[in-house]
Amino acid sequence: MDYPCSATEPVSRVRLETGEDAWLVTRYDDIRALLADPRFRVWLPGVPEAGTDALLFTMNGPEHARLRRIAGKALTPRRVELLRPRAEALAEDLATKLITQGPPAEVLDGYAIPFALSVLNELLGVPPSARDALRSWADGMLAVFTAPSYDEMTEASRKLGDYLAELVEAKRRAPGEDLLSGLLQARDDGDALRPDEVTQLAFAILLGGYVPPANALAQIVLRLAAEPELPRDPALIEEFLRQDQGSAADQGRVALEDADIGGIPIRAGEFVLASLRAGNHDPRRFPEPALIDPLRTQGHLTFGHGPHHCLGAALARLQLRTGLAALLSAAPRLRLAVPFEEVAWRRMFLTLRGPVAVPIDW
């Protein structure tokens, strides 16, 4: 995909489908500067500013920094690494089941979705008896892989919130080795999270650790299946993430005061949309961006940048690497079972998009 405006008009005035006028930022360096600039706060296109502090990825300011600081003491690289053996076993089991059903097989619903949720269940310490209900509530709340009514989404969100609150309370009474127990025990100079804050974080972890990794894994498999000349190496996950056009959600900001981005004045109250996908294809940062380059240094924007850089990036990388490795081991010659042109796509929340299904043969 080409991004001509990144070269000729890197900061452009646009009208969004949600009805707002905004500045669209497309250059890598400008995007990083914007996402790290305290003169801008998070803004979700189409959502009123009031009430946007409900989740970690929409919060701003000192309280957001506090929650991230304490949560970061629990969601550590070590905790994620300890999850690796279990994640590998889950991926191997699911990949074996998928392949033994015989071709064709459907990767999104048959592998990527249950794998992402299974890893989250292990991370959060969800008991097996509750896992089917949790998936039903998560699907209903997100309305991404299913399409319920608004009333059904609200009800699913309520049920999921009630369950997570009960789970957090159970971990408070009887701590384990899971992340929720770790969040309850985490301290920053004596400061601790309240149970309701841990429940809030559990919501955010479900949002970030379920749909985006499942969607990204399905899209990586789709690309490899459609382009057999590409290296089938899980070590190239970073390049696939950089080039992925569906999993890097564009990020919105609103100016708190007059500022400028890329030499363009932005007035207080004006909206700005950072196109992470355009930044990931900026040739100033990534020469020949359309090529998969195994020697390319990291630095893509798929997980964001600045105060809102994805707290679960290490977890997502674990999910993608183990999930892809297990599937390629089970079906090293996998290929797309239908012409690429027949793959149907759907729009997801914010600016994400993903395939409806990824049918493969081998």
Side-chain angles (χ1 to χ4, degrees):
M1 179 179 292
D2 294 326
Y3 297 93
C5 62
S6 67
T8 60
E9 194 176 358
V11 182
S12 311
R13 197 71 174 149
V14 296
R15 167 66 61 89
L16 305 180
E17 292 183 3
T18 51
E20 298 101 337
D21 292 316
W23 294 100
L24 179 67
V25 182
T26 56
R27 283 195 303 213
Y28 180 90
D29 288 342
D30 293 339
I31 291 170
R32 281 176 58 92
L34 169 67
L35 299 183
D37 195 326
R39 296 173 296 176
F40 295 84
R41 61 166 288 160
V42 172
W43 158 69
L44 300 181
V47 177
E49 286 191 70
T52 57
D53 283 352
L55 290 168
L56 185 67
F57 64 86
T58 60
M59 294 178 68
N60 298 273
E63 188 59 20
H64 169 255
R66 170 184 169 269
L67 283 180
R68 279 190 63 105
R69 189 168 57 249
I70 302 176
K73 294 182 180 297
L75 187 55
T76 61
R78 179 178 180 275
R79 187 182 295 276
V80 171
E81 189 58 32
L82 288 173
L83 189 62
R84 182 180 299 277
R86 184 60 182 146
E88 290 174 344
L90 288 168
E92 182 178 352
D93 180 60
L94 286 167
T96 299
K97 288 179 179 178
L98 183 75
I99 299 306
T100 54
Q101 294 172 1
E106 202 287 292
V107 169
L108 180 62
D109 193 58
Y111 182 68
I113 291 174
F115 175 62
L117 200 55
S118 294
V119 172
L120 282 176
N121 285 330
E122 295 292 328
L123 180 72
L124 298 175
V126 178
S129 60
R131 294 182 178 184
D132 287 345
L134 184 139
R135 175 175 177 178
S136 175
W137 297 328
D139 284 348
M141 180 186 73
L142 295 170
V144 172
F145 300 127
T146 57
S149 68
Y150 178 78
D151 289 342
E152 290 172 335
M153 292 171 63
T154 302
E155 180 66 9
S157 178
R158 184 190 63 79
K159 289 181 177 179
L160 181 60
D162 290 346
Y163 174 72
L164 290 175
E166 293 173 3
L167 183 61
V168 168
E169 177 59 23
K171 301 298 181 182
R172 189 187 66 80
R173 294 194 306 267
E177 298 299 320
D178 54 87
L179 177 61
L180 294 184
S181 298
L183 289 169
L184 288 164
Q185 296 164 359
R187 298 290 185 275
D188 179 62
D189 290 334
D191 189 13
L193 297 172
R194 302 186 308 270
D196 64 293
E197 292 175 323
V198 175
T199 301
Q200 179 191 47
L201 284 167
F203 253 104
I205 290 164
L206 274 173
L207 284 171
Y210 178 25
V211 174
N215 185 44
L217 179 56
Q219 293 205 59
I220 291 170
V221 174
L222 172 60
R223 183 159 186 199
L224 290 174
E227 302 179 48
E229 70 280 3
L230 290 175
R232 301 196 167 193
D233 184 355
L236 292 175
I237 285 293
E238 299 301 326
E239 272 290 85
F240 288 124
L241 282 171
R242 182 184 65 79
Q243 290 197 349
D244 183 356
Q245 294 305 302
S247 297
D250 295 342
Q251 295 195 7
R253 297 291 187 267
V254 60
L256 298 174
E257 59 185 83
D258 290 352
D260 70 87
I261 294 293
I264 301 297
I266 310 295
R267 302 304 180 193
E270 290 187 329
F271 298 131
V272 185
L273 190 66
S275 176
L276 304 191
R277 292 167 290 181
N280 280 341
H281 287 75
D282 186 342
R284 300 166 188 79
R285 176 60 179 81
F286 304 105
E288 297 185 276
L291 297 180
I292 292 286
D293 183 356
L295 301 179
R296 201 187 300 275
T297 58
Q298 291 188 22
H300 62 73
L301 297 166
T302 301
F303 292 118
H305 178 66
H308 283 273
H309 180 270
C310 179
L311 189 63
L315 174 64
R317 288 183 166 104
L318 172 70
Q319 290 171 301
L320 294 174
R321 288 189 179 121
T322 55
L324 183 60
L327 187 58
L328 291 177
S329 177
R333 290 183 292 276
L334 64 82
R335 59 185 181 275
L336 202 55
V338 299
F340 183 82
E341 295 74 20
E342 294 183 12
V343 174
W345 296 80
R346 63 179 144 210
R347 299 190 65 172
M348 305 166 79
F349 59 90
L350 299 180
T351 55
L352 299 182
R353 74 178 192 127
V356 174
V358 181
I360 61 169
D361 203 339
W362 53 87

